[in-house]
Amino acid sequence: MSTDFVPNGSRPAGVFPAVPRVIYKTKRKNLSHEGRIGRIETVETLNLFRDFSHAFNAHRPRLDPALAGFLHNHGFLPDKGALYGLAPRAPQDPEAELEDPSKTDTAPPEPEPLDPWLSDFQAAILPLANGRYAPALSNRLFFWRLYTNTLPLVPLLGSVEQGHLIRRDRRAQGTILARPMFTSHKDAPEWEPTPQGGGGDRILLDLPPQGAVSQVTRMLVIYDPKTRNPVIVSAVLLEGALDTLDRSGTTLTSRRIDVETGIAGPAMQFTRGLPVAPEMTDPDTVLLSNWWLMVRNVTAGLVRLPVGVVVQIDLLRTAEETDTVIIDATDRIDAAGHQIHGPVMGGEVAVRFIKEFGV
Amino acid sequence: MAEQTSLPLGIDHKNYIKTLQGDGKNLAWKQFTDVFWNSDALRAGAKNEFLFRRGFLRDKWVLYGFDDNDPEEYLSDFQAAQINQANGIYANVLQDRMLLNHTLADYCVVPKIHALRGLDAQEVALSGEWAAHHTDGTGPDLEVLIEPLLAGARGKVEVVNISNGRFEGLGKTGDMKLLSDITRDWSKAARLPYLFADNLQQGPFMTGLHAGGQNRLSVILTRNLDTWDPVISAATLMIGTGASDGRLTLARGGLSAPVDLVTGTVGAAAGIGAEQTVERHDTHPETGAALRDLVVPEWQEIRAALQRIMDESSYMRVAMLDFTLLADGRLGLIGPSQLDLSAVQVHQPLLRDPVFAETMRKLTL
């Protein structure tokens, strides 16, 4: 019958591969950063690599060529050398070691192994692992619509689209937070709704009243390919003005939260984009009183609506400190914020994830 | 105001088909030609070439009455098949029942999703009731609709009743493990993910149209790309007959009745008669139930809800959705529409609406 003309693109076999492998087409044995860039061949990954490469070359002051070559070929931006303490391994010279055994005591410590670090280029290609659900996590308006009854999101007041203000039937109770609608836009969040047009599309969120210091709990959630459950692989407590949290050049304080216990470790201060090692500003630990509530809220929601495989979620405690709300969700991972305390991809789940999705 | 009315209405189909570009369009054209030359229904004789060059299938000469009407005012079959692709990367939202269900939850009643069987044939329980039936059979009784996750996929659509950890349906009865095994086989055989969700019960207004199956309210929502205002382009009641057997298209024996967008008044229903011609009915041809001049209950609320859906979902450019009307008059989501646009255009050509025509032109559909 003529009515069986099926629309283009509704053939599931082509549009729904079981596992969207990003760069490596098969499961690989090791997690080395060697060779990843050599394997880039799809249009999306090539574009992302070009962006990475431009960002790398725009960095000033220039690094020592040997270190720059090492970082670039492993997918790290120049500031990560000092920020994470990454350096190429010293060339092995077994003969020298045999002749002078005492040398091992005075030699500089071997740099950290590189494999468990999430490189900047890897962070850029992670959203591709979301496959056909990538649009759900790269558009904040859509994310808010999709998870409106599933996650504790702050209320959506409206949006600014193509210069038109779309208002929902709701009055603001607290501060209005405007965020870019698309996570891949490079412009920073702003506090005021942009006037006509301005800096692109925004969503307007109704931020609840909060304490004097804004502490944002940032979670990196990935799906475990084996158990198919969302797993929080890293969580940090960031202190700093909300609007500049992700802006380059901002000085921030970050505490790593132990996912098992909810204890936030010592505070480390670092500046985004600066090749300076983080500095400990407060050696004391802090116990997050409502950590389990946060974990339960986030994972329960993501279990009910399994869309995508990697997402970073920002939570804010309300003034009463009894409840938490989600103020941001994005597929762009803040690699530096998580990793100034150490690599995040070393865990069992993270290793499975990287192998499964070929990032 | 004279300049405003000089906007060209309709689309020059012949030129459009001649200048198709892009891989997606080429693939669609190949599929169109396959269907066109293999279809034998309603042969149009010497008009074949005329229709082919404009992207219409053969049955449209009679259905749209091209002896009298201007083809430029009608959206062609080739274009209609690509309407969803105009949503770009968000086309997925309007194909994937799970995404659509969650995104529309604030605007209408959506069926509760119980489980998803993914492409790798794993079943994931998404509701407590489903998990309870699987473990110890303590969940409440459910009437579950099993459908392919993606609209438009040619998979099985079945309803099963579940109580005390056992299912009844598909011509058999058994425990949840058996149901799980059966759907796994379906999923593996056709490489399709399946979704298990509540089966919404249509209200008295819908049952009054035709009792033997689910009737649908199909709507086409779009956006005026200049003013960014939401627009309801068409609303059509798809009504079953004894012959249509759940597949509510004109070609399979269903009826379509237009709904006035302002008042909600139902017009005369159209169906394809025995002589392969369009027949209009003021009452249902089998049951004699009145159709013409019925008024859809709570139409103003429905209309407002439809406009809100489009207003607050800027990622959608064109949305075709199917709803049912529940007993309390509210909209209940059935899913992404599989509406055959001939059911709409048999009443009123879509491109006669200047806003719709302009939107289609801007989306280069």
Side-chain angles (χ1 to χ4, degrees):
Chain A
M1 285 298 282
S2 57
T3 47
D4 282 337
F5 177 35
V6 180
N8 184 16
S10 66
R11 295 174 307 160
V15 297
F16 195 15
V19 175
R21 294 218 167 86
V22 180
I23 285 190
Y24 295 88
K25 298 294 170 238
T26 52
K27 284 196 189 181
R28 58 197 168 117
K29 291 274 186 334
N30 68 49
L31 297 179
S32 167
H33 290 275
E34 304 274 356
R36 176 176 296 111
I37 288 171
R39 286 169 197 259
I40 301 174
E41 50 188 21
T42 62
V43 176
E44 292 97 338
T45 47
L46 278 169
N47 282 337
L48 291 169
F49 179 70
R50 190 194 55 195
D51 292 347
F52 164 78
S53 206
H54 282 318
F56 192 97
N57 288 325
H59 195 269
R60 296 290 182 279
R62 287 192 185 278
L63 297 176
D64 159 50
L67 179 62
F70 168 78
L71 290 175
H72 183 270
N73 291 341
H74 291 81
F76 290 90
L77 286 172
D79 58 319
K80 300 304 186 302
L83 201 59
Y84 298 168
L86 305 178
R89 277 173 186 274
Q92 296 288 324
D93 192 353
E95 286 182 20
E97 206 169 295
L98 283 177
E99 281 170 13
D100 186 5
S102 66
K103 200 183 170 188
T104 48
D105 300 333
T106 54
E110 280 287 297
E112 296 263 322
L114 205 57
D115 290 357
W117 295 91
L118 181 72
S119 73
D120 294 298
F121 177 65
Q122 257 183 319
I125 59 173
L126 269 183
L128 299 178
N130 289 324
R132 59 192 286 273
Y133 287 119
L137 295 167
S138 64
N139 180 338
R140 290 189 173 93
L141 178 72
F142 184 49
F143 187 91
W144 247 255
R145 291 255 42 80
L146 189 61
Y147 280 98
T148 176
N149 297 321
T150 323
L151 285 174
L153 303 170
V154 289
L156 182 67
L157 286 171
S159 52
V160 181
E161 295 159 13
Q162 319 259 316
H164 301 278
L165 176 63
I166 315 281
R167 202 193 301 263
R168 309 194 75 211
D169 321 328
R170 195 190 148 87
R171 299 186 76 85
Q173 306 287 314
T175 326
I176 298 175
L177 174 65
R179 275 194 191 279
M181 190 176 296
F182 302 100
T183 60
S184 55
H185 276 200
K186 294 193 178 74
D187 41 9
E190 291 170 22
W191 282 96
E192 295 296 325
T194 49
Q196 295 289 311
D201 294 355
R202 293 278 187 278
I203 60 166
L204 309 178
L205 303 175
D206 185 8
L207 217 55
Q210 39 172 326
V213 185
S214 65
Q215 289 187 324
V216 173
T217 309
R218 180 164 283 182
M219 294 176 177
L220 168 54
V221 186
I222 60 176
Y223 274 80
D224 182 347
K226 194 171 166 191
T227 62
R228 331 192 109 252
N229 282 327
V231 175
I232 300 169
V233 288
S234 169
V236 289
L237 192 65
L238 293 178
E239 280 173 26
L242 258 183
D243 54 336
T244 59
L245 221 48
D246 295 313
R247 195 173 289 168
S248 183
T250 316
T251 302
L252 284 179
T253 308
S254 170
R255 291 170 187 268
R256 168 163 282 185
I257 301 170
D258 181 22
V259 178
E260 301 286 324
T261 57
I263 295 173
M268 307 284 275
Q269 197 176 56
F270 73 107
T271 305
R272 274 194 201 285
L274 271 198
V276 177
E279 186 186 331
M280 190 185 292
T281 54
D282 178 10
D284 293 338
T285 56
V286 183
L287 177 66
L288 293 184
S289 53
N290 47 2
W291 173 247
W292 283 112
L293 183 75
M294 291 189 208
V295 172
R296 203 185 56 207
N297 282 345
V298 169
T299 48
L302 293 176
V303 163
R304 263 192 64 197
L305 185 46
V307 167
V309 293
V310 50
V311 60
Q312 173 180 292
I313 286 179
D314 282 3
L315 296 114
L316 191 70
R317 275 185 286 180
T318 53
E320 303 87 52
E321 301 224 336
T322 54
D323 206 358
T324 55
V325 284
I326 292 178
I327 57 167
D328 194 18
T330 169
D331 54 358
R332 309 282 146 174
I333 305 306
D334 170 19
H338 288 285
Q339 296 198 114
I340 59 162
H341 308 282
V344 296
M345 291 316 229
E348 203 185 323
V349 175
V351 168
R352 269 207 294 270
F353 176 88
I354 288 185
K355 285 184 175 170
E356 180 79 18
F357 292 100
V359 291
Chain B
M1 297 302 285
E3 290 85 15
Q4 299 244 328
T5 53
S6 68
L7 253 181
L9 289 174
I11 281 178
D12 180 356
H13 288 297
K14 198 170 177 184
N15 191 37
Y16 168 78
I17 294 290
K18 246 176 155 172
T19 56
L20 286 181
Q21 278 183 347
D23 293 349
K25 291 255 166 51
N26 286 342
L27 179 66
W29 178 248
K30 185 221 157 227
Q31 293 170 343
F32 172 78
T33 55
D34 278 357
V35 176
F36 185 92
W37 295 111
N38 288 328
S39 64
D40 51 25
L42 302 166
R43 277 192 186 279
K47 287 127 188 172
N48 268 339
E49 193 172 335
F50 179 91
L51 292 171
F52 181 69
R53 286 196 188 286
R54 284 161 181 77
F56 288 93
L57 291 174
R58 287 171 167 171
D59 53 352
K60 297 304 182 297
W61 189 279
V62 178
L63 267 184
Y64 295 167
F66 283 161
D67 285 329
D68 308 319
N69 296 330
D70 181 3
E72 295 202 353
E73 292 184 341
Y74 289 80
L75 202 66
S76 70
D77 292 295
F78 180 77
Q79 292 176 305
Q82 293 182 79
I83 267 199
N84 193 19
Q85 300 303 314
N87 294 308
I89 58 170
Y90 300 103
N92 191 17
V93 181
L94 289 159
Q95 281 188 353
D96 187 312
R97 293 178 198 279
M98 187 169 69
L99 290 187
L100 193 68
N101 181 304
H102 280 274
T103 46
L104 298 189
D106 274 3
Y107 308 105
C108 60
V109 179
V110 295
K112 182 167 184 181
I113 294 175
H114 291 297
L116 171 69
R117 179 172 287 289
L119 238 202
D120 48 358
Q122 287 255 13
E123 189 180 294
V124 190
L126 297 175
S127 77
E129 294 96 313
W130 191 265
H133 276 296
H134 258 285
T135 49
D136 48 12
T138 52
D141 292 1
L142 302 171
E143 185 178 323
V144 174
L145 181 67
I146 308 175
E147 279 180 300
L149 176 67
L150 298 182
R154 288 178 211 170
K156 290 178 185 288
V157 179
E158 301 280 358
V159 178
V160 295
N161 288 298
I162 294 175
S163 69
N164 300 326
R166 296 184 65 78
F167 80 95
E168 194 185 338
L170 321 169
K172 54 187 85 166
T173 171
D175 58 6
M176 296 297 281
K177 175 78 170 48
L178 180 62
L179 180 64
S180 217
D181 290 347
I182 293 173
T183 53
R184 188 191 58 222
D185 292 346
W186 293 354
S187 179
K188 278 193 168 166
R191 278 183 51 78
L192 283 179
Y194 276 89
L195 193 70
F196 302 72
D198 270 341
N199 192 21
L200 290 181
Q201 300 299 326
Q202 59 185 1
F205 174 77
M206 287 305 228
T207 321
L209 300 174
H210 180 249
Q214 202 163 37
N215 305 305
R216 298 177 173 200
L217 176 68
S218 299
V219 296
I220 304 176
L221 305 175
T222 181
R223 185 184 300 286
N224 184 332
L225 293 176
D226 289 327
T227 63
W228 211 245
D229 286 335
V231 179
I232 304 174
S233 294
T236 312
L237 279 174
M238 296 303 299
I239 301 161
T241 61
S244 68
D245 190 27
R247 294 291 299 268
L248 294 180
T249 62
L250 292 186
R252 284 173 197 269
L255 301 175
S256 94
V259 178
D260 187 289
L261 295 174
V262 178
T263 60
T265 311
V266 180
I272 297 182
E275 305 290 314
Q276 303 288 13
T277 53
V278 181
E279 289 180 354
R280 313 262 168 190
H281 308 279
D282 287 350
T283 58
H284 196 286
E286 290 167 4
T287 63
L291 297 178
R292 189 172 180 166
D293 296 335
L294 280 175
V295 178
V296 177
E298 315 285 347
W299 174 251
Q300 296 310 325
E301 281 77 13
I302 291 171
R303 190 164 156 243
L306 293 174
Q307 275 176 340
R308 274 188 62 211
I309 289 175
M310 208 55 193
D311 198 17
E312 296 175 8
S313 313
S314 63
Y315 39 86
M316 293 184 197
R317 295 289 179 272
V318 190
M320 287 169 39
L321 302 170
D322 274 358
F323 296 97
T324 187
L325 296 176
L326 304 177
D328 54 4
R330 284 185 302 167
L331 278 178
L333 179 71
I334 293 179
S337 181
Q338 290 154 50
L339 181 67
D340 178 8
L341 282 184
S342 61
V344 178
Q345 300 200 99
V346 75
H347 302 294
Q348 164 97 358
L350 276 166
L351 296 178
R352 192 176 284 172
D353 173 4
V355 174
F356 192 81
E358 187 62 15
T359 305
M360 290 298 113
R361 218 174 279 125
K362 282 195 171 148
L363 296 172
T364 64
L365 198 75

